[in-house]
């Protein structure tokens, strides 16, 4: 929280939320500074008897310990809850198909949206008539409307239409595509029976930096000659596997 006194923070009261003052920093927080999240998950009203519950808990715990934790998939909030389109837009941007990216973001409809919104999106997707789209699109779809305004004044300037969006929104598309690739790799390793907490020949390892986090600038590939030593470093949390699909 930028430039406030501790007393002001202590006077903030939010439902189900507790704020703890940790201190001050001489620089602002940036994307990527978050080390991780910690959760306590409580399960209630379990409809099985106590012995069966204990058995399942033991099996689940043993499985989690064996694989070194739970696969840390990116969740639906990264891609969109009602309209999971963000990673699709990001892929088109990475492939430099800005027209496809813009049309997907502006006009690709999804079943979980309100029916009238689906219909207007479908019309714009089929006709590319952005003037009519501006007449019909709900006002809350302000980013899509901003892009259509740009396309009305500068037809075919699909790259320029993304310039109407805030920089954090533009970055979000590529980040979502990266997250999608990551999820796909994790699924592929699980499907192919490859471990998540140790490396196999052909994997790439990155080493721990001074902050104790993965340093992607310092990497080495696992070979039959070095894999035992490298996996020992992984086990001691001195190195990290950069997962690959196969």
């Amino acid at each position: 929280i930028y430039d406030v006194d501790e007393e002001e923070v202590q006077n903030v009261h939010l439902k189900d939320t507790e704020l703890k003052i940790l201190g001050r920093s001489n620089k602002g927080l940036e994307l990527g500074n978050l080390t991780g999240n910690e959760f306590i998950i409580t399960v209630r009203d379990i409809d099985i008897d106590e012995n069966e519950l204990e058995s399942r808990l033991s099996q689940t715990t043993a499985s989690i310990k064996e694989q070194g934790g739970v696969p840390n998939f990116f969740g639906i909030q990264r891609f969109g809850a009602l309209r999971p389109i963000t990673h699709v837009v990001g892929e088109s941007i990475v492939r430099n198909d800005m027209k496809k990216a813009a049309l997907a973001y502006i006009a690709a409809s999804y079943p979980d949206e309100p029916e009238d919104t689906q219909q207007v999106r479908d019309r714009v997707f089929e006709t590319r008539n952005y003037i009519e789209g501006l007449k019909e699109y709900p006002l809350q779809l302000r980013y899509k409307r901003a892009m259509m305004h740009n396309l009305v004044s500068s037809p075919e300037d699909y790259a320029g239409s993304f310039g109407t969006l805030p920089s954090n929104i533009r970055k979000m598309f590529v980040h979502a595509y990266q997250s999608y690739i990551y999820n796909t790799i994790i699924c592929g390793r699980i499907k192919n029976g490859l471990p998540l907490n140790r490396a196999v020949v052909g994997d790439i390892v990155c080493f721990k930096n001074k902050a104790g986090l993965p340093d992607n600038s310092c990497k080495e590939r696992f070979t039959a000659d070095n894999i035992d030593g490298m996996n020992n470093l992984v086990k001691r949390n001195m190195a990290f596997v950069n997962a690959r699909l196969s």
Side-chain angles (χ1 to χ4, degrees):
I1 303 176
Y2 178 72
D3 195 26
V4 297
D5 295 328
E6 290 189 10
E7 292 76 14
E8 295 179 79
V9 176
Q10 291 169 343
N11 289 330
V12 174
H13 302 285
L14 301 173
K15 184 178 184 296
D16 298 327
T17 302
E18 179 183 347
L19 297 178
K20 182 178 180 180
I21 299 170
L22 301 178
R24 292 193 177 274
S25 172
N26 58 5
K27 62 179 181 178
L29 294 176
E30 298 178 352
L31 189 67
N33 287 157
L34 178 65
T35 301
N37 298 306
E38 181 177 310
F39 300 93
I40 296 175
I41 300 174
T42 303
V43 182
R44 298 183 176 88
D45 300 325
I46 302 173
D47 190 22
I48 56 176
D49 64 58
E50 186 173 342
N51 290 334
E52 176 64 17
L53 174 60
E54 289 293 337
S55 175
R56 292 191 190 183
L57 286 174
S58 297
Q59 293 175 21
T60 302
T61 301
S63 176
I64 291 173
K65 287 182 176 179
E66 181 181 357
Q67 65 184 7
V70 177
N72 190 19
F73 288 99
F74 285 95
I76 194 171
Q77 71 182 67
R78 183 61 60 98
F79 310 110
L82 295 179
R83 189 170 172 259
I85 198 70
T86 313
H87 62 296
V88 177
V89 177
E91 179 179 6
S92 295
I93 292 174
V94 169
R95 297 184 186 279
N96 202 31
D97 190 340
M98 302 306 292
K99 179 178 181 179
K100 185 176 181 180
L103 288 173
Y105 186 56
I106 293 170
S109 64
Y110 272 77
D112 290 336
E113 292 186 286
E115 186 175 350
D116 55 346
T117 303
Q118 292 181 50
Q119 291 172 354
V120 67
R121 283 197 201 276
D122 290 341
R123 284 195 291 273
V124 170
F125 194 91
E126 293 169 4
T127 65
R128 313 288 198 267
N129 189 332
Y130 304 115
I131 294 176
E132 290 301 313
L134 286 168
K135 293 178 182 177
E136 298 184 34
Y137 265 48
L139 294 179
Q140 65 265 27
L141 301 181
R142 60 187 185 280
Y143 294 142
K144 290 81 176 176
R145 293 177 62 87
M147 292 178 68
M148 287 193 291
H149 271 294
N150 184 86
L151 290 169
V152 168
S153 58
S154 302
E156 302 300 319
D157 182 19
Y158 294 99
S161 70
F162 278 100
T164 65
L165 306 181
S167 61
N168 63 320
I169 298 294
R170 298 198 301 270
K171 291 177 182 178
M172 177 184 66
F173 297 127
V174 176
H175 290 166
Y177 183 46
Q178 291 173 317
S179 302
Y180 172 77
I181 292 172
Y182 173 86
N183 283 359
T184 302
I185 290 172
I186 295 297
C187 288
R189 287 184 75 98
I190 294 172
K191 182 179 180 180
N192 292 319
L194 297 176
L196 300 179
N197 62 331
R198 66 183 188 277
V200 296
V201 172
D203 278 343
I204 295 173
V205 64
C206 64
F207 299 97
K208 183 168 67 173
N209 62 19
K210 293 181 179 179
L213 300 174
D215 181 0
N216 284 309
S217 66
C218 183
K219 295 181 286 191
E220 187 170 341
R221 186 176 293 276
F222 282 79
T223 66
D225 294 329
N226 68 11
I227 191 165
D228 289 339
M230 288 292 189
N231 270 327
N232 185 46
L233 293 177
V234 172
K235 186 177 181 180
R236 294 160 55 194
N237 292 322
M238 297 178 66
F240 307 88
V241 178
N242 285 2
R244 64 187 174 91
L245 183 56
S246 61

